[in-house]
Structures are given as C-alpha cells and as structure tokens.
Amino acid sequence: MAREAAILLGPDDPAPFAIDNAEGRSPFLLVGDHAGAAIPAALGDLGLKSADRARHITVDIGVREFGRELARLLDAPFIHQTYSRLVIDCNRDPGHEDAIVIQSDGTSITGNGALDDAARQARIAAIHTPYHAAISAMLDARQAAGTETILLSLHSFTPKLDGFIRPWHVGVLHWLGRTDCAMAMVAQLQGDRTICVGDNAPYRMDATDYTAPFHAFPRNLRYAEIEIRQDLISDHGGQVHWAGKIQKAATSAWR
C-alpha cells in the first residue's frame, strides 16, 4: 500500500489528515471525515468547475472551523480529513463503489470515471487508510492511559436537496452500540424551542456509514454523529454560536 500512496501524493501535497488540540484532556474525541477540500495535484481538478469545488458535494461547509472552535471549548482533540470527499469518502467503506462517486447532486465527477483497481487503491492507501489509522492510534493511546472516550463525528448538510427544503437546524445520528450519549444530546438540544432538531435526520445512520461503526462499535464507545445545516456555520459567527450549543449539549450528555 505504501507504493500506491507514494504514486498519488507528491512532495507538495498536504498530509491526509490534521490534528488540532492533540493533547486535549476531555473525554471527547472529534473527527471530521469531510472537513477538507484538497485534491492531490496528480488528479488535477477532477473535472470540476471552481464553483463546484466550493459546494457541499466537495466539502462539509464550515465543519473544519466549527470543529476547531468546538475542540477548544471542549478541550478535545480534533482529527480531520484534509482531502475532499470526492477524492475518497472517509465515511464510507473503502471497498464500496460509493467511496469514490462519479456523480454527486447532479454534478458529474469526470475525474472519477473508469478508475482501475490500482487507481482506487492509491486513494485508499494515501488518504483513507492513514486518516482512520490516526483515529485508531489515538483511541488506542487513550485506552492505554485509562482515558474515557466519547466519539463525536462532525458533519454539515445542505439546506436543500433534490428540491426538498430541510427544516432542521441540527441533527444527531446514531444506530447501534452505545447510543446513550447521542440520545441525551437529542434531548438536550430539543429543549431549545428556537431550533428544529433531527433525531436521525436529515440522515439516518446505517450500514452506509463507516467512521462510527468502525471505531465506536467494536470498542463499545459512546458516540454521536452531529449534522449542522451548512448555512448556519458558513461564517465565523455561526461557527462560534453552534460550537457553544454543541459544547453545552455534549457536556450535559456526558455528565
């Protein structure tokens, strides 16, 4: 796999993940599967127009900055993906076809068409594998140190999809395993009557998700996937505001 990774990423390409506040001492570990928008130089622009590279199909808008602020408030590490979900989706099983899509929300991703196995393996080796290895390594280190961990996976969603206006401000996703923290966060957020809170909405966590099932389920960790509507965290003020709301809900759920 190392050879495939070397073929894809050049010396001027960024590392496949970044960690903010790595020494954070709270029980929370934050991850951002779709926080980055980079594309390896070897892949050009994947056939995308510049406007498409700024859309939700490329990156979870606002999540990187929101995650950094939440990491500060919670004193939690934040591991986030550097590369675009269109290069490879780190919240999908790397062996599934939908890990590298050829179309997203009506836009053709021509640079992803007709990939052979070697090209797919290069993306897995260079981006998907090291990102999840970094999460696993931090979980291992925290377990060895006797540190409790609650995994929070941070995402954002577009206000409108396929003509449907999404009314939710925030959603909390969960599925199997230790759902108690997620359910407590739902209850805490629903106590604020000024916002519309989705319980497994706008998406329902299921077998198509990868990060929480892969890391939290086998370790019996409490977890939640947080989805915030993108227009609410597209600027600094919104990112700070929502980091405060999620910090309050997460801390209450933990206690």
Side-chain angles (χ1 to χ4, degrees):
M1 294 288 275
R3 179 176 177 273
E4 286 88 349
I7 291 171
L8 180 62
L9 296 185
D12 296 327
D13 285 315
F17 63 89
I19 305 178
D20 290 294
N21 198 31
E23 303 302 319
R25 299 175 64 85
S26 85
F28 295 98
L29 172 60
L30 312 180
V31 297
D33 303 327
H34 305 147
I39 298 174
L43 302 183
D45 58 10
L46 289 178
L48 295 168
K49 297 178 181 178
S50 58
D52 286 324
R53 291 186 62 174
R55 291 176 59 210
H56 72 95
I57 64 172
T58 300
V59 62
D60 272 5
I61 295 166
V63 161
R64 184 178 62 182
E65 296 80 7
F66 158 74
R68 285 173 168 164
E69 178 63 14
L70 182 59
R72 185 187 70 80
L73 292 177
L74 287 173
D75 189 26
F78 177 37
I79 304 176
H80 48 98
Q81 178 54 242
T82 305
Y83 288 94
S84 171
R85 64 194 301 172
L86 295 181
V87 178
I88 188 165
D89 190 331
C90 285
N91 195 31
R92 295 292 182 269
D93 185 315
H96 288 180
E97 286 188 4
D98 61 357
I100 302 176
V101 297
I102 59 174
Q103 187 176 70
S104 182
D105 195 17
T107 297
S108 294
I109 319 302
T110 58
N112 287 349
L115 296 184
D116 61 18
D117 186 62
R120 295 184 68 90
Q121 289 301 319
R123 298 192 194 188
I124 294 169
I127 296 168
H128 195 286
T129 297
Y131 171 68
H132 284 286
I135 297 172
S136 292
M138 186 164 287
L139 289 172
D140 288 343
R142 291 169 69 90
Q143 183 177 3
T147 302
E148 177 188 10
T149 298
I150 301 171
L151 184 69
L152 296 184
S153 182
L154 308 180
H155 294 262
S156 65
F157 63 94
T158 182
K160 183 179 180 181
L161 187 67
D162 297 331
F164 175 67
I165 302 296
R166 293 158 143 182
W168 305 280
H169 296 87
V170 60
V172 181
L173 280 55
H174 49 87
W175 183 27
L176 305 175
R178 292 287 306 277
T179 62
D180 48 304
C181 183
M183 299 310 299
M185 289 188 70
V186 170
Q188 173 71 23
L189 289 164
Q190 286 180 340
D192 183 346
R193 300 299 183 183
T194 67
I195 61 175
C196 181
V197 180
D199 180 357
N200 263 336
Y203 306 105
R204 176 173 294 277
M205 183 181 287
D206 58 24
T208 63
D209 290 275
Y210 184 80
T211 297
F214 183 75
H215 293 289
F217 293 2
R219 296 171 184 268
N220 199 34
L221 300 180
R222 291 190 282 175
Y223 71 94
E225 184 171 317
I226 310 300
E227 293 270 359
I228 301 178
R229 208 173 67 203
Q230 289 168 353
D231 59 313
L232 302 176
I233 56 170
S234 61
D235 60 27
H236 179 70
Q239 292 151 10
V240 170
H241 176 75
W242 278 93
K245 281 188 176 294
I246 299 303
Q247 183 267 341
K248 179 180 178 182
T251 301
S252 176
W254 167 50
R255 289 176 176 166

